[in-house]
Amino acid sequence: MKTDKRKVALVGCGMVGMSYAYAMLNQNVCDELVLIDVDKKRAEGEAMDMNHGLAFSGSNMKIFAGSYDDCGDADIVCICAGVAQKPGETRLDLLQRNAAVFKSIIDPVTESGFNGLFLVATNPVDIMTRITCALSGFNPRRVLGTGTALDTARLRYLLGDYFHVDPRNMHAYVMGEHGDSEFVPWSQAMLATKPVLELCRQSGGRYCSEELDKIAEEVRTAAYKIIEAKRATYYGIGMALTRITRAVFGNESSVLTVSAMLRGEYGQKDVFVGVPCIVNRSGIQRVLELNLSKEEQARFSASCETLRESYAGLKL
């Protein structure tokens, strides 16, 4: 008889955190979910609201508002707490404010005896993931951020629309910072096993690389447009968090573009950045190194340097 209890502790009950919780409830991803927020009353209200929908779901989740002490036996602590991005503000603009928030979170989580995986969604996510790793002292393979997982999903959606195929048959990735320096390595993009660039060359003008560049730009600026229209993004990232959580609990060894520390891959060290990784029960099992072109490698290096420069100015 299976007795493993899949427990998630969610820190931050804002729109991102609760979109994640709601997606997990509907997909029956975990068995126990504890909601933690600086506003304890809000966490209690969110737990009540979700519990009232249990009868309509296929889940038997135990959902309750708790404290950092409840993280001790959790498998995953997901951090969604932090200051929201304002219209016109970059993710890196959030850095100093959210770094201060994380100081008040990581210590009590580790003091609870927590020995699972940290999953970070708070922006700027690559640097916040690095901060989580530094403050917790955890093995970097057990600290991962959402990275460019959502950007990759946006890319595949747009490519599927452009080539008139199911987005799940588009194999392409967004790499680098989850932000303005991210890029698409088109040399690695495929429709099934057909390289996208080759498809453009053979299409007689029906498809072209110029349109691919427009798609990459649309992916890069998507969050700004959503924030301008509705003040925040949350459904997409909630689904991305759920997908990563499923990969962990299912020990799937799935390839996901999460924020991971590089240890020589792509010629980079000591930087957390969005790259394709094999994700399973142990966290990041390994970084999957793609064969980038010289131009793509240069763009990736520049993106990593942007993240290093931002992190260097912090005092933890």
Side-chain angles (χ1 to χ4, degrees), residues 164-175:
H164 305 289
V165 297
D166 187 331
R168 289 170 294 189
N169 296 128
M170 297 304 311
H171 306 295
Y173 302 98
V174 176
M175 292 179 62

Side-chain angles (χ1 to χ4, degrees), residues 75-303:
D75 299 288
I76 295 173
V77 166
C78 178
I79 306 178
C80 296
V83 181
Q85 189 175 351
K86 300 175 182 177
E89 187 176 38
T90 70
R91 295 177 180 95
L92 290 178
D93 289 335
L94 298 173
L95 180 55
Q96 201 61 57
R97 289 184 290 161
N98 279 335
V101 172
F102 269 46
K103 288 180 182 179
S104 67
I105 294 173
I106 305 301
D107 283 352
V109 169
T110 56
E111 287 169 4
S112 73
F114 173 65
N115 194 36
L117 305 179
F118 276 108
L119 175 57
V120 182
T122 305
N123 278 319
V125 68
D126 303 290
I127 300 176
M128 301 313 298
T129 306
R130 183 170 179 176
I131 289 171
T132 300
C133 187
L135 293 175
S136 67
F138 274 36
N139 184 313
R141 290 294 184 253
R142 290 168 50 212
V143 182
L144 59 158
T146 49
T148 50
L150 177 55
D151 307 274
T152 294
R154 289 167 173 160
L155 173 65
R156 293 179 179 182
Y157 164 75
L158 292 171
L159 286 175
D161 185 58
Y162 182 57
F163 289 109
H164 305 289
V165 297
D166 187 331
R168 289 170 294 189
N169 296 128
M170 297 304 311
H171 306 295
Y173 302 98
V174 176
M175 292 179 62
E177 171 205 3
H178 175 55
D180 294 338
S181 66
E182 69 182 33
F183 73 101
V184 179
W186 290 116
S187 69
Q188 304 299 302
M190 295 188 178
L191 193 169
T193 59
K194 181 83 167 181
V196 164
L197 294 179
E198 185 178 336
L199 193 63
C200 289
R201 286 193 296 268
Q202 297 175 351
S203 69
R206 182 179 180 186
Y207 305 116
C208 64
S209 58
E210 288 79 9
E211 288 301 317
L212 296 184
D213 290 337
K214 289 180 182 178
I215 288 173
E217 178 65 10
E218 187 171 347
V219 170
R220 189 184 67 81
T221 60
Y224 296 125
K225 294 177 182 177
I226 295 171
I227 290 168
E228 182 181 0
K230 54 177 267 188
R231 299 187 180 181
T233 70
Y234 35 88
Y235 296 133
I237 192 61
M239 294 287 281
L241 284 163
T242 302
R243 177 67 191 94
I244 295 167
T245 303
R246 277 201 355 250
V248 170
F249 283 139
N251 199 29
E252 293 179 1
S253 293
S254 292
V255 178
L256 300 169
T257 48
V258 294
S259 185
M261 177 180 274
L262 299 186
R263 297 171 169 175
E265 298 90 352
Y266 302 102
Q268 302 293 324
K269 289 184 178 180
D270 300 327
V271 62
F272 276 81
V273 65
V275 287
C277 295
I278 297 175
V279 178
N280 58 23
R281 198 69 172 79
S282 62
I284 297 170
Q285 196 256 325
R286 67 183 173 95
V287 173
L288 188 64
E289 195 166 1
L290 305 182
N291 295 318
L292 302 182
S293 69
K294 287 185 179 180
E295 180 187 355
E296 291 163 353
Q297 180 63 53
R299 294 190 68 178
F300 183 72
S301 298
S303 188

